Structures are given as structure tokens and as C-alpha cells.
Amino acid sequence: MAYVVLIAGLVLLVLGAEALVRGASRLAAGLGITPLVIGLTVVAFGTSAPEMAVSIGAALSGQADIALGNVVGSNTFNILAILGLSALVAPLVVASNLVKLDVPLMILAAIVLLLMALDGRVSGFDGLILFSGVVVYTAGLIWLSKKAPTDVAMTEITGGDVVTAGKSANTLANLAWIAGGLILLVLGSRWLVDSAVQIAQTFGVSELVIGLTIVAAGTSMPELATSVVASIRGERDIAVGNVVGSNLFNILAVLGLSSMISPDGVDVASSALRLDIPVMIAASLVCLPIFFFAKRISRGVGAMFLLSYVAYTVYLITSMAPTL
């Protein structure tokens, strides 16, 4: 039965991603907001809803390894697996705004998390600082987007329909697409994670490995489905912005809120300090020179990202999983 639920979850994720990308891109064009800003906010935060639900639930139930591993593992998966797969579908052009602001902030957030975790715990006060960061970031992003000039003739091709910014758009219908997509994504992700964890536990895999791999990848399925679908549909700003925005949201909002509501904060395992958080930081750091100099993610770079994630996952399983 668990395998049936897993497949059903994947189907819902694909359908939800298609609806979310369709609604978000049309909303961006109709309101004169760039797809990049939509990708960094509405799409990124929406697709991080499963991480939020899983990490908060884990923190409240005392499963700190899953709460932290979900965030750290999801961020690593987002960069290496999602950007890798999306670039293999179609090379991704990187907007200059990402290089100037959002990617450096993603790197800074990862480093701040490492510094906070050095004492073995992300406290409630640490969480408050992180959560305040996402509020300031989102407000600043929207403010900057309103200041930037928009091309009233900008068009977005969405599902074969051309929508022109500046003209009246059916905002309620677009919001309905987004809401429906998010509902399917959250439900599909929940089915996927629950069934995957059930399957993994039958093989005796540890909680930390489950959090870093199965739960992290499972809760990142919305980002994966959304970015790949966006890449196929030519919405490449959404594909890249979704990953960067999700990584920021995961650290600042998901882990921040989880630490705030957990009575003792979120404990950090020594293995996470030695390996998993540094790997997340390294994956974030490698984006900056690639984005800055190449201004695109080629299929070759995408393959390198994907192979790196496979190598990391194999190392995790072989070094940490018990003998079966």
C-alpha cells in the first residue's frame, strides 16, 4: 500500500506544479511583476510549505534530526538535484538580480545557520533572528520590484496563451490556479514523505539519514516538479528563482519558526556540523561564480550538480546507515 501512496503522491505533485506555474506566470504578467519576483516569493514560499509542515511537526514531537535534516537536506537537494535536472531539460539563464542580491543572501543565511549551530543548538532566540530575516527580505524584494521600471508590453506565453502586462487579467482565476496547485503540492508531498519514510524504516535506516535524504527530497518534490515544469514551459526565471527563494525561506522561515515554537530549540547533531551543513554551504557557494561569470546553468553544469548530489547521497547511506 505504501508504494501505491508514493506513486499517487508523485502524480499530485506533477499536477500541482503545472497549476502553480501556470497561475504564477499569468499573475506576474497581468500585474506587471517580473516572473523572477513571483518565483522568489509566491512560488518559492508556496512550494516550501511541505518543509514548513514537516519541520514544525518534527520539532514539536522532539525529532530534531528530522527537523534540521529536512531543511539542510532540502537546500542541498534544491541546488544540486533540482537545478541539475532543470538544466538538463533546458539550459537555465540566470537573472542579474539573483547574482547581485538573492544568491549572496542565500549564502549568508547558510553561513549564519552554521554559526548559530556551533553550540549544538539553534535556540528560540536564534529562530527569532532568522524569521525576522525572511520578513525583511520579502518586504524589501516587493519594494524593489515596485521601484524597478516594468515593460508594459512584456508578454508571457503560458500554456499557448499570450498575456500582456498592463492589460486587465483575471487575477482571481490566476490566484485559484496558484491555490489549487499549492493544495495538490502539499497533499502530494505529504503522501510521498509518509510512504517513503514508512518504506525506509522497514529497512532500518536511521532518523538522521531519513531526514537528510528521503524527507528532504520528498518535501522538495514540489520545488523539483515546479522548476522542471517551469523549465519545460520556458519560465526559466521561475525555475531558478524558485530554488533560491525556497532555500532562503527554508533557513529563515522554516528553521526559524521551528526553533521558536520548540520548547528547547532545535538540537544540531555533530555529524550535521561536520558534513551536512558544510555541504549545503559549499553547494550555495559554487552557484555564485557560475551564475556571475557564465550567467547561465548549462547542461554540463547541470550534470555536474546532479552527479554531486548522487555522490553525497551514496556517501550518507554507506557511512551512516546501519548494516542491513
Side-chain angles (χ1 to χ4, degrees), residues 93-174:
V93 178
V94 180
S96 59
N97 288 347
L98 279 176
V99 180
K100 294 176 183 177
L101 176 65
D102 305 291
V103 173
L105 286 177
M106 178 180 71
I107 296 170
L108 177 61
I111 294 174
V112 168
L113 171 57
L114 176 62
L115 295 176
M116 289 179 170
L118 288 177
D119 61 355
R121 185 167 63 99
V122 180
S123 67
F125 181 72
D126 292 336
L128 178 62
I129 294 174
L130 293 175
F131 193 77
S132 299
V134 78
V135 174
V136 173
Y137 168 73
T138 304
L141 193 64
I142 295 173
W143 179 74
L144 288 174
S145 72
K146 293 299 182 182
K147 283 189 62 179
T150 57
D151 181 2
V152 294
M154 177 187 70
T155 60
E156 294 297 333
I157 300 176
T158 54
D161 299 327
V162 178
V163 181
T164 305
K167 294 184 179 180
S168 60
N170 193 339
T171 303
L172 289 179
N174 294 331

XYZ file of all heavy atoms in Angstrom, residues 93-174:
588
model
N 18.951 30.369 -17.898
C 19.545 31.697 -17.873
C 19.338 32.282 -16.483
O 18.244 32.213 -15.925
C 18.909 32.614 -18.939
C 19.498 34.010 -18.858
C 19.114 32.022 -20.323
N 20.400 32.869 -15.913
C 20.345 33.410 -14.557
C 20.198 34.922 -14.616
O 21.008 35.612 -15.235
C 21.614 33.039 -13.758
C 21.545 33.617 -12.353
C 21.787 31.526 -13.712
N 19.156 35.452 -13.987
C 18.925 36.894 -13.967
C 20.003 37.594 -13.143
O 20.483 37.065 -12.134
C 17.539 37.195 -13.384
N 20.389 38.781 -13.576
C 21.455 39.520 -12.896
C 21.076 39.865 -11.463
O 21.930 39.935 -10.575
C 21.789 40.799 -13.672
O 20.644 41.627 -13.779
N 19.776 40.091 -11.213
C 19.330 40.416 -9.857
C 19.635 39.298 -8.873
O 19.922 39.545 -7.699
C 17.825 40.701 -9.849
C 17.484 42.029 -10.493
O 18.363 42.848 -10.728
N 16.210 42.226 -10.793
N 19.562 38.052 -9.340
C 19.882 36.928 -8.466
C 21.331 36.981 -8.007
O 21.637 36.726 -6.841
C 19.625 35.603 -9.196
C 18.188 35.080 -9.266
C 18.134 33.825 -10.102
C 17.647 34.812 -7.879
N 22.240 37.306 -8.936
C 23.671 37.336 -8.613
C 23.985 38.485 -7.671
O 24.824 38.363 -6.770
C 24.503 37.446 -9.904
C 25.986 37.470 -9.593
C 24.176 36.296 -10.848
N 23.303 39.610 -7.856
C 23.597 40.796 -7.053
C 23.047 40.705 -5.637
O 23.664 41.212 -4.693
C 23.008 42.038 -7.737
C 23.646 42.379 -9.071
C 22.936 43.562 -9.713
C 23.511 43.886 -11.083
N 22.775 44.999 -11.744
N 21.893 40.099 -5.483
C 21.222 40.145 -4.185
C 20.884 38.779 -3.601
O 21.343 38.431 -2.506
C 19.927 40.974 -4.310
C 19.044 41.058 -3.054
C 19.777 41.795 -1.941
C 17.714 41.733 -3.380
N 20.108 37.984 -4.321
C 19.476 36.808 -3.719
C 20.451 35.667 -3.444
O 20.369 35.026 -2.398
C 18.328 36.339 -4.615
C 17.340 37.455 -4.885
O 16.634 37.855 -3.956
O 17.302 37.960 -6.027
N 21.362 35.386 -4.380
C 22.330 34.312 -4.141
C 23.275 34.671 -2.994
O 23.533 33.827 -2.117
C 23.105 33.972 -5.429
C 24.218 32.976 -5.133
C 22.160 33.392 -6.478
N 23.838 35.910 -2.932
C 24.641 36.261 -1.748
C 23.873 36.135 -0.441
O 24.428 35.698 0.574
C 25.034 37.723 -2.025
C 25.054 37.835 -3.506
C 23.929 36.955 -3.969
N 22.574 36.500 -0.452
C 21.769 36.353 0.763
C 21.567 34.878 1.106
O 21.552 34.511 2.293
C 20.418 37.042 0.582
C 20.426 38.575 0.627
C 19.032 39.126 0.369
C 20.958 39.083 1.963
N 21.410 34.022 0.092
C 21.276 32.587 0.332
C 22.547 32.041 0.992
O 22.477 31.241 1.937
C 21.003 31.861 -0.986
C 20.889 30.355 -0.869
S 20.553 29.551 -2.465
C 22.142 29.776 -3.298
N 23.698 32.473 0.494
C 24.969 32.043 1.078
C 25.115 32.563 2.504
O 25.528 31.837 3.417
C 26.145 32.521 0.204
C 26.089 31.849 -1.168
C 27.485 32.238 0.887
C 27.055 32.437 -2.187
N 24.769 33.842 2.711
C 24.871 34.448 4.044
C 23.977 33.714 5.042
O 24.404 33.439 6.177
C 24.480 35.921 3.968
C 24.467 36.691 5.296
C 25.856 36.703 5.921
C 23.957 38.115 5.100
N 22.760 33.378 4.630
C 21.846 32.667 5.526
C 22.410 31.311 5.921
O 22.299 30.890 7.087
C 20.483 32.497 4.850
N 23.033 30.610 4.968
C 23.618 29.297 5.267
C 24.781 29.430 6.255
O 24.932 28.608 7.172
C 24.092 28.639 3.971
N 25.610 30.462 6.084
C 26.748 30.669 6.989
C 26.267 31.063 8.382
O 26.797 30.596 9.399
C 27.698 31.735 6.413
C 28.348 31.211 5.129
C 28.776 32.117 7.430
C 29.191 32.235 4.394
N 25.232 31.921 8.437
C 24.667 32.315 9.730
C 24.119 31.091 10.462
O 24.305 30.952 11.683
C 23.559 33.377 9.528
C 22.764 33.567 10.811
C 24.179 34.703 9.097
N 23.479 30.192 9.729
C 22.972 28.966 10.347
C 24.112 28.162 10.951
O 23.997 27.651 12.079
C 22.227 28.121 9.306
C 21.818 26.713 9.752
C 20.945 26.762 10.992
C 21.115 25.974 8.624
N 25.223 28.037 10.233
C 26.374 27.290 10.751
C 26.883 27.926 12.042
O 27.162 27.219 13.020
C 27.484 27.245 9.706
C 28.788 26.569 10.151
C 28.548 25.101 10.486
C 29.860 26.699 9.067
N 26.996 29.250 12.062
C 27.496 29.937 13.253
C 26.548 29.744 14.430
O 26.986 29.534 15.566
C 27.680 31.429 12.958
C 28.746 31.776 11.914
C 28.769 33.276 11.635
C 30.123 31.293 12.368
N 25.255 29.805 14.172
C 24.273 29.600 15.236
C 24.309 28.175 15.773
O 24.024 27.938 16.953
C 22.862 29.907 14.725
C 22.577 31.374 14.486
S 20.878 31.623 13.851
C 20.732 33.417 13.964
N 24.650 27.229 14.900
C 24.599 25.810 15.272
C 25.875 25.316 15.943
O 25.925 24.166 16.390
C 24.310 24.961 14.034
N 26.902 26.160 16.022
C 28.184 25.710 16.568
C 28.088 25.251 18.017
O 28.888 24.417 18.462
C 29.227 26.838 16.450
C 29.741 27.129 15.029
C 30.700 28.314 15.030
C 30.415 25.890 14.439
N 27.125 25.795 18.758
C 26.956 25.372 20.153
C 26.063 24.146 20.287
O 25.698 23.737 21.390
C 26.396 26.520 20.995
C 25.018 26.988 20.526
O 24.552 26.483 19.481
O 24.420 27.853 21.194
N 25.694 23.550 19.140
C 24.906 22.328 19.153
C 23.414 22.531 19.199
O 22.658 21.559 19.340
N 22.960 23.785 19.033
C 21.521 24.029 19.117
C 21.181 25.339 18.421
O 21.923 26.316 18.525
C 21.080 24.094 20.583
C 19.581 24.235 20.787
C 19.227 23.979 22.245
N 19.840 24.967 23.122
C 19.197 26.041 23.605
N 17.915 26.234 23.302
N 19.792 26.885 24.390
N 20.064 25.342 17.702
C 19.501 26.588 17.180
C 18.392 26.981 18.145
O 17.335 26.353 18.179
C 18.946 26.408 15.747
C 18.369 27.734 15.233
C 20.023 25.912 14.798
N 18.662 27.993 18.965
C 17.763 28.349 20.051
C 16.542 29.111 19.546
O 16.461 29.507 18.377
C 18.511 29.215 21.075
O 18.843 30.478 20.491
N 15.605 29.346 20.457
C 14.425 30.119 20.105
C 14.781 31.542 19.700
O 14.172 32.110 18.784
N 15.769 32.133 20.374
C 16.203 33.484 20.019
C 16.862 33.490 18.639
O 16.644 34.405 17.834
C 17.169 34.028 21.064
C 17.640 35.432 20.778
C 16.772 36.504 20.929
C 18.931 35.666 20.354
C 17.195 37.799 20.660
C 19.366 36.958 20.079
C 18.488 38.033 20.237
N 17.668 32.454 18.362
C 18.252 32.314 17.017
C 17.134 32.236 15.971
O 17.218 32.843 14.901
C 19.108 31.049 16.936
C 20.363 31.129 17.789
O 20.810 32.253 18.075
O 20.873 30.060 18.173
N 16.106 31.469 16.307
C 14.984 31.329 15.389
C 14.286 32.649 15.126
O 13.869 32.932 13.992
N 14.161 33.472 16.173
C 13.538 34.791 16.010
C 14.342 35.662 15.064
O 13.778 36.371 14.214
C 13.409 35.474 17.372
C 12.813 36.891 17.365
C 11.394 36.871 16.819
C 12.847 37.486 18.780
N 15.656 35.598 15.173
C 16.526 36.362 14.267
C 16.340 35.881 12.833
O 16.216 36.684 11.900
C 18.007 36.232 14.700
C 18.223 36.891 16.058
C 18.930 36.842 13.648
C 19.610 36.687 16.622
N 16.319 34.562 12.643
C 16.148 34.006 11.308
C 14.796 34.409 10.714
O 14.716 34.834 9.553
C 16.271 32.483 11.348
C 17.648 31.911 11.692
C 17.577 30.389 11.821
C 18.686 32.296 10.644
N 13.744 34.275 11.509
C 12.410 34.584 10.995
C 12.260 36.069 10.681
O 11.580 36.442 9.715
C 11.337 34.154 12.005
C 9.951 34.153 11.436
C 9.533 33.129 10.611
C 9.060 35.180 11.720
C 8.253 33.120 10.062
C 7.778 35.189 11.183
C 7.380 34.145 10.350
N 12.889 36.918 11.475
C 12.870 38.350 11.176
C 13.535 38.618 9.831
O 13.111 39.517 9.088
C 13.595 39.134 12.280
O 12.967 38.962 13.531
N 14.542 37.819 9.520
C 15.242 37.989 8.245
C 14.340 37.762 7.046
O 14.423 38.490 6.051
N 13.455 36.759 7.111
C 12.594 36.483 5.961
C 11.542 37.570 5.801
O 11.138 37.892 4.679
C 11.931 35.090 6.071
C 10.750 35.083 7.023
C 11.481 34.611 4.696
N 11.114 38.177 6.909
C 10.151 39.275 6.823
C 10.781 40.475 6.128
O 10.189 41.078 5.218
C 9.651 39.665 8.231
C 8.762 40.905 8.158
C 8.889 38.505 8.871
N 12.003 40.821 6.534
C 12.708 41.955 5.931
C 13.012 41.671 4.459
O 12.841 42.543 3.597
C 14.015 42.247 6.702
C 14.847 43.312 5.984
C 13.698 42.698 8.123
N 13.449 40.449 4.161
C 13.789 40.083 2.780
C 12.579 40.191 1.859
O 12.663 40.776 0.772
C 14.341 38.659 2.754
C 14.450 38.063 1.367
C 15.436 38.482 0.486
C 13.554 37.073 0.948
C 15.537 37.944 -0.789
C 13.652 36.536 -0.318
C 14.642 36.965 -1.179
O 14.725 36.422 -2.444
N 11.451 39.646 2.291
C 10.257 39.663 1.448
C 9.763 41.088 1.223
O 9.423 41.470 0.093
C 9.135 38.825 2.089
O 9.625 37.496 2.326
C 7.922 38.754 1.185
N 9.722 41.887 2.302
C 9.287 43.275 2.168
C 10.216 44.047 1.239
O 9.761 44.826 0.383
C 9.224 43.939 3.542
N 11.518 43.830 1.393
C 12.482 44.529 0.550
C 12.378 44.121 -0.904
O 12.509 44.960 -1.811
N 12.124 42.840 -1.145
C 12.014 42.347 -2.522
C 10.811 42.960 -3.231
O 10.905 43.394 -4.387
C 11.895 40.823 -2.506
C 12.086 40.094 -3.829
C 13.504 40.283 -4.352
C 11.786 38.617 -3.669
N 9.693 43.014 -2.524
C 8.497 43.606 -3.116
C 8.696 45.099 -3.355
O 8.305 45.641 -4.400
C 7.274 43.357 -2.212
C 6.975 41.855 -2.140
C 6.059 44.120 -2.705
C 5.902 41.484 -1.153
N 9.339 45.777 -2.421
C 9.593 47.219 -2.566
C 10.496 47.497 -3.759
O 10.241 48.404 -4.552
C 10.216 47.753 -1.289
C 10.544 49.228 -1.336
C 9.657 50.262 -1.274
C 11.845 49.806 -1.451
N 10.324 51.457 -1.345
C 11.666 51.213 -1.451
C 13.127 49.282 -1.543
C 12.729 52.101 -1.554
C 14.201 50.164 -1.630
C 14.001 51.553 -1.645
N 11.553 46.693 -3.904
C 12.467 46.882 -5.035
C 11.772 46.605 -6.356
O 12.015 47.287 -7.359
C 13.684 45.969 -4.883
C 14.687 46.350 -3.794
C 15.764 45.276 -3.655
C 15.335 47.697 -4.108
N 10.890 45.606 -6.368
C 10.202 45.276 -7.618
C 9.254 46.392 -8.040
O 9.038 46.632 -9.226
C 9.423 43.966 -7.468
O 8.286 44.140 -6.656
N 8.678 47.087 -7.046
C 7.776 48.190 -7.373
C 8.549 49.406 -7.875
O 8.059 50.177 -8.698
C 6.948 48.576 -6.134
C 5.969 47.500 -5.689
C 4.941 47.198 -6.775
C 3.933 46.167 -6.317
N 2.956 45.828 -7.383
N 9.777 49.582 -7.388
C 10.600 50.707 -7.832
C 11.139 50.504 -9.235
O 11.310 51.454 -9.998
C 11.783 50.909 -6.885
C 11.439 51.589 -5.577
C 12.702 51.931 -4.808
C 13.559 52.922 -5.611
N 14.789 53.306 -4.894
N 11.423 49.224 -9.570
C 12.026 48.931 -10.869
C 11.016 49.185 -11.972
O 9.837 48.867 -11.843
C 12.496 47.477 -10.912
N 11.462 49.777 -13.102
C 10.541 50.001 -14.210
C 10.116 48.687 -14.826
O 10.900 47.764 -14.948
C 11.372 50.826 -15.198
C 12.789 50.488 -14.873
C 12.815 50.247 -13.394
N 8.850 48.588 -15.178
C 8.349 47.379 -15.822
C 7.931 47.696 -17.236
O 7.457 48.788 -17.537
C 7.140 46.812 -15.068
O 6.134 47.819 -14.997
C 7.525 46.376 -13.667
N 8.109 46.772 -18.113
C 7.747 46.941 -19.516
C 6.278 46.576 -19.691
O 5.895 45.428 -19.540
C 8.635 46.021 -20.374
C 8.336 46.170 -21.864
O 7.477 47.016 -22.214
O 8.958 45.440 -22.643
N 5.454 47.591 -19.990
C 4.024 47.333 -20.101
C 3.706 46.455 -21.284
O 2.603 45.927 -21.401
C 3.238 48.659 -20.228
C 3.357 49.471 -18.964
C 3.701 49.458 -21.447
N 4.677 46.277 -22.144
C 4.444 45.412 -23.298
C 4.969 44.011 -23.075
O 4.957 43.192 -23.976
C 5.096 46.018 -24.545
N 5.460 43.762 -21.839
C 6.015 42.446 -21.541
C 4.946 41.384 -21.717
O 3.816 41.535 -21.256
C 6.515 42.401 -20.087
C 7.060 41.035 -19.660
S 7.446 41.005 -17.896
C 5.811 41.055 -17.188
N 5.270 40.331 -22.374
C 4.323 39.244 -22.552
C 4.904 37.958 -22.016
O 6.103 37.750 -22.007
C 3.985 39.047 -24.043
O 5.188 38.751 -24.751
C 3.329 40.288 -24.620
N 4.008 37.110 -21.536
C 4.393 35.791 -21.058
C 3.558 34.773 -21.801
O 2.337 34.899 -21.881
C 4.128 35.652 -19.551
C 4.978 36.555 -18.691
C 6.452 36.246 -18.804
O 6.781 35.082 -19.099
O 7.252 37.164 -18.615
N 4.188 33.790 -22.367
C 3.472 32.720 -23.050
C 3.188 31.629 -22.032
O 4.101 31.009 -21.515
C 4.291 32.174 -24.225
C 4.551 33.286 -25.227
C 3.582 31.026 -24.895
C 5.441 32.879 -26.379
N 1.934 31.455 -21.726
C 1.555 30.495 -20.690
C 0.530 29.539 -21.250
O -0.621 29.902 -21.454
C 0.962 31.235 -19.472
O -0.092 32.066 -19.927
C 2.003 32.089 -18.780
N 0.976 28.344 -21.504
C 0.066 27.325 -21.991
C -0.509 27.670 -23.346
O -1.629 27.312 -23.673
N 0.269 28.386 -24.178
C -0.185 28.725 -25.506
C -0.942 30.036 -25.565
O -1.219 30.571 -26.632
N -1.277 30.630 -24.402
C -1.995 31.896 -24.366
C -1.005 33.015 -24.112
O -0.113 32.894 -23.280
C -3.045 31.910 -23.244
C -4.083 30.825 -23.444
O -4.378 30.529 -24.614
O -4.574 30.278 -22.443
N -1.168 34.135 -24.805
C -0.302 35.278 -24.586
C -1.024 36.271 -23.700
O -2.124 36.706 -23.997
C 0.083 35.949 -25.919
C 0.943 37.175 -25.653
C 0.814 34.954 -26.804
N -0.384 36.615 -22.565
C -0.966 37.570 -21.636
C -0.078 38.788 -21.622
O 1.131 38.673 -21.440
C -1.059 36.974 -20.204
C -1.688 37.987 -19.261
C -1.846 35.682 -20.236
N -0.620 39.968 -21.811
C 0.169 41.187 -21.872
C 0.050 41.947 -20.566
O -1.046 42.234 -20.102
C -0.313 42.083 -23.030
O -0.272 41.331 -24.228
C 0.559 43.312 -23.154
N 1.216 42.278 -19.982
C 1.209 43.040 -18.758
C 0.627 44.408 -19.031
O 0.861 45.010 -20.049
C 2.631 43.159 -18.210
N -0.076 44.936 -18.050
C -0.674 46.244 -18.206
C -2.116 46.144 -18.652
O -2.888 47.072 -18.483
N -2.505 45.040 -19.242
C -3.899 44.822 -19.627
C -4.614 44.092 -18.498
O -4.009 43.463 -17.637
C -3.983 44.021 -20.927
C -3.431 44.774 -22.136
C -3.627 43.962 -23.400
C -3.098 44.726 -24.627
N -3.288 43.952 -25.863
N -5.915 44.172 -18.502
C -6.678 43.526 -17.449
C -6.483 42.026 -17.508
O -6.474 41.419 -18.558
C -8.165 43.864 -17.606
O -8.633 43.413 -18.852
N -6.293 41.433 -16.353
C -6.097 39.984 -16.272
C -7.048 39.443 -15.219
O -7.441 40.132 -14.277
C -4.660 39.655 -15.909
N -7.409 38.210 -15.378
C -8.321 37.589 -14.429
C -7.531 37.158 -13.207
O -7.107 36.005 -13.083
C -9.032 36.408 -15.081
C -10.222 35.932 -14.257
O -10.298 36.198 -13.058
N -11.142 35.250 -14.899
N -7.336 38.111 -12.298
C -6.488 37.862 -11.138
C -7.046 36.754 -10.259
O -6.293 35.908 -9.765
C -6.337 39.152 -10.315
O -5.799 40.178 -11.148
C -5.400 38.921 -9.133
N -8.362 36.749 -10.069
C -8.957 35.720 -9.215
C -8.741 34.324 -9.786
O -8.456 33.374 -9.051
C -10.454 35.992 -9.035
C -10.825 37.198 -8.173
C -12.334 37.370 -8.111
C -10.254 37.039 -6.764
N -8.855 34.191 -11.103
C -8.623 32.890 -11.738
C -7.174 32.464 -11.566
O -6.882 31.291 -11.288
C -8.998 32.952 -13.213
N -6.238 33.405 -11.715
C -4.822 33.085 -11.539
C -4.530 32.665 -10.101
O -3.761 31.727 -9.852
C -3.961 34.291 -11.917
C -4.064 34.624 -13.400
O -4.302 33.740 -14.224
N -3.896 35.885 -13.741
